[in-house]
Amino acid sequence: MNRKLFGVLSGSSRAVAVVLLAIAALLFWQPAAVDAQAPAQNPLAGAQVFGSKGCVSCHSVHGLGGKVGPDLGRISRRRSFYELAATMWNHLPQMGEQARERGIERPPMNSGEAANLIAFLFTIDYFDPPGNVEVGQQLFTEKKCVVCHQVGSYGGVVGPELDFLGQYGSPILVASAMWNHGPAMAEEMRERGLQRPGFTASELTDLIAYLESMAADPLEGSLYVLPGRADDGRVIFVEKRCNQCHGVSGPGIRVGGNLAERRLQPSLMEFAAAMWNKAPAMMRAMDDMGLSVPQLGAGEMADVVAFLYSVQYFSEAGYSGRGRQRIREKGCLNCHSLDGRGGESAGDLALVRGIASPASVISSLWNHSIVMEAGMESEAVPWPIFSPQEMADVAAFFQSLESSR
């Protein structure tokens, strides 16, 4: 597939493509921070797990599915792997109760299925819903785009025609085009006495919807493509000198802030809007530092976005020593033993096998909970609740046991 088309959507079928892209967002890249032995995160396969394991019978995604549990299409955007894993674990008692009431048997899950399911949940809100064509047409005039740009036969001829953006409706393509032409657009607007407009994500969504509606030659059929490759994005982030102003992890003073912070994890349309709105300040900072403004193709922009999301995906670093402590604090040793110490009603945790990756730890906990839930309920033992960091620590502890063998 042509890498220049990454992040592009077909204008003729955007409503369907938004959903399909949301579950295919990470299909061919592994998060950079994940252990080499961990299975690839495949949201498309995760959507199938969501159906085959019965999740869809209780949960909906953007209104499609069961109504017993919350709509997972409306969960907080950009949760990390361990946030999602901890939420699944903490929810198991209620999930089990609902399953029993409905006569549903909770099936086991292997590590690949667990990884893919969490990847699916992570990418549900990656893309924004389609915009409003009428509002977009208004914005095209109100934001003064019409002074320089033409759509169809309407508008100025100073800047390039925008029909090609409408043909694809891609937020990443829009972001790269706005970034690359930013300096020239700023100069032209200064000469014409025009104030540079800002855009919110919803405004940009509406504007793209209008451009799509005006596209003279829409693409034939549907084009489903990926948002980018995280490993390539890491390289581009350095090659384009983004790292001169922005950090992605760890302490340190950065001119442009840390792009991997949770509050800065946007949808693709929010990312495109931020690139446009912050471009003047970024370009002034680069000029002060003696840096030229780098050009970014749509594929390169998509790769950088994928890299930034991958950093957040495994944001909690687990520590095995703390994981051992968490196991004691959560009461696991009331039933299990560890190195010969603890309860006798269940096995020794140090002898557990097949837990070399974060996903395998999660699937093991899921499968064990099916038996564990009934026993704890009969003995009126409270269900242990884990925070994302605690879940990361427990996963690190079990992985340390596997690596020491």
Side-chain angles (χ1 to χ4, degrees), residues 20 23-25 27 42-49 116 120:
L20 292 183
I23 62 174
L27 187 56
N42 184 334
L44 190 58
Q48 297 170 343
V49 173
N116 294 336
F120 165 64

Side-chain angles (χ1 to χ4, degrees), residues 107-281:
M109 192 183 311
N110 62 39
S111 61
E113 290 169 335
N116 294 336
L117 177 60
I118 292 176
F120 165 64
L121 297 176
F122 180 75
T123 59
I124 282 175
D125 259 351
Y126 202 89
F127 289 86
D128 298 87
N132 185 295
V133 173
E134 289 74 22
V135 174
Q137 183 175 13
Q138 262 186 304
L139 290 169
F140 188 72
T141 301
E142 290 175 358
K143 299 287 187 178
K144 306 299 183 185
C145 310
V146 68
V147 174
C148 297
H149 296 284
Q150 192 172 90
V151 175
S153 58
Y154 176 61
V157 294
V158 177
E161 294 183 0
L162 300 183
D163 290 32
F164 78 99
L165 293 178
Q167 191 180 42
Y168 296 103
S170 162
I172 286 184
L173 187 64
V174 170
S176 63
M178 293 172 94
W179 173 260
N180 293 332
H181 296 296
M185 282 193 286
E187 182 62 31
E188 187 65 36
M189 294 183 80
R190 277 195 298 269
E191 290 182 3
R192 291 172 172 267
L194 298 174
Q195 185 176 356
R196 192 178 192 277
F199 285 95
T200 65
S202 62
E203 288 174 334
L204 204 53
T205 302
D206 293 333
L207 182 60
I208 288 179
Y210 167 61
L211 297 178
E212 286 180 318
S213 73
M214 296 293 290
D217 299 307
L219 294 178
E220 292 296 326
S222 302
L223 179 61
Y224 303 122
V225 290
L226 307 175
R229 296 177 186 272
D231 290 342
D232 291 349
R234 179 190 291 273
V235 174
I236 294 167
F237 191 80
V238 175
E239 288 181 345
K240 300 292 183 177
R241 298 192 174 184
C242 308
N243 63 331
Q244 296 291 310
C245 295
H246 296 287
V248 292
S249 62
I253 299 174
R254 301 288 182 179
V255 176
N258 190 320
L259 297 181
E261 292 178 356
R262 181 173 308 283
R263 62 184 179 85
L264 296 178
Q265 291 303 302
S267 69
L268 295 187
M269 203 65 75
E270 288 169 339
F271 178 85
M275 287 290 290
W276 168 258
N277 295 333
K278 296 180 180 180

Side-chain angles (χ1 to χ4, degrees), residues 55 58-59 87-89 91-100 106 366 373:
C55 310
C58 292
H59 292 283
T87 299
M88 286 174 61
W89 170 265
H91 180 53
L92 283 175
Q94 294 82 4
M95 191 187 305
E97 182 180 350
Q98 288 292 337
R100 287 191 296 273
R106 185 148 56 88
W366 169 276
E373 185 183 339

Side-chain angles (χ1 to χ4, degrees), residues 221-368:
S222 302
L223 179 61
Y224 303 122
V225 290
L226 307 175
R229 296 177 186 272
D231 290 342
D232 291 349
R234 179 190 291 273
V235 174
I236 294 167
F237 191 80
V238 175
E239 288 181 345
K240 300 292 183 177
R241 298 192 174 184
C242 308
N243 63 331
Q244 296 291 310
C245 295
H246 296 287
V248 292
S249 62
I253 299 174
R254 301 288 182 179
V255 176
N258 190 320
L259 297 181
E261 292 178 356
R262 181 173 308 283
R263 62 184 179 85
L264 296 178
Q265 291 303 302
S267 69
L268 295 187
M269 203 65 75
E270 288 169 339
F271 178 85
M275 287 290 290
W276 168 258
N277 295 333
K278 296 180 180 180
M282 286 193 285
M283 290 172 184
R284 283 195 300 271
M286 284 186 281
D287 186 58
D288 291 342
M289 297 172 70
L291 299 175
S292 58
V293 178
Q295 295 288 288
L296 285 165
E300 292 175 321
M301 185 77 78
D303 292 341
V304 170
V305 173
F307 163 59
L308 296 177
Y309 279 77
S310 75
V311 173
Q312 184 60 43
Y313 189 49
F314 279 87
S315 58
E316 295 90 5
Y319 299 92
S320 59
R322 283 203 314 230
R324 180 184 287 268
Q325 181 181 346
R326 304 295 186 201
I327 287 172
R328 292 193 176 92
E329 293 172 350
K330 299 298 179 179
C332 304
L333 298 187
N334 291 334
C335 297
H336 292 279
S337 61
L338 180 61
D339 298 325
R341 301 175 183 175
E344 298 180 354
S345 59
D348 192 320
L349 295 177
L351 302 178
V352 176
R353 294 290 189 273
I355 47 175
S357 71
S360 63
V361 175
I362 304 309
S363 64
S364 295
L365 288 172
W366 169 276
N367 296 333
H368 177 55

Side-chain angles (χ1 to χ4, degrees), residues 23-88:
I23 62 174
L26 311 176
L27 187 56
F28 291 125
W29 61 269
Q30 283 189 334
V34 71
D35 186 277
Q37 299 180 68
Q41 314 292 293
N42 184 334
L44 190 58
Q48 297 170 343
V49 173
F50 188 77
S52 66
K53 300 297 180 182
C55 310
V56 71
S57 65
C58 292
H59 292 283
S60 59
V61 176
H62 295 301
L64 300 176
K67 309 301 180 185
V68 177
D71 188 326
L72 299 181
R74 297 185 174 92
I75 61 176
S76 299
R77 195 185 296 274
R78 231 53 65 214
R79 289 185 175 185
S80 69
F81 179 91
Y82 288 115
E83 274 189 281
L84 291 165
T87 299
M88 286 174 61

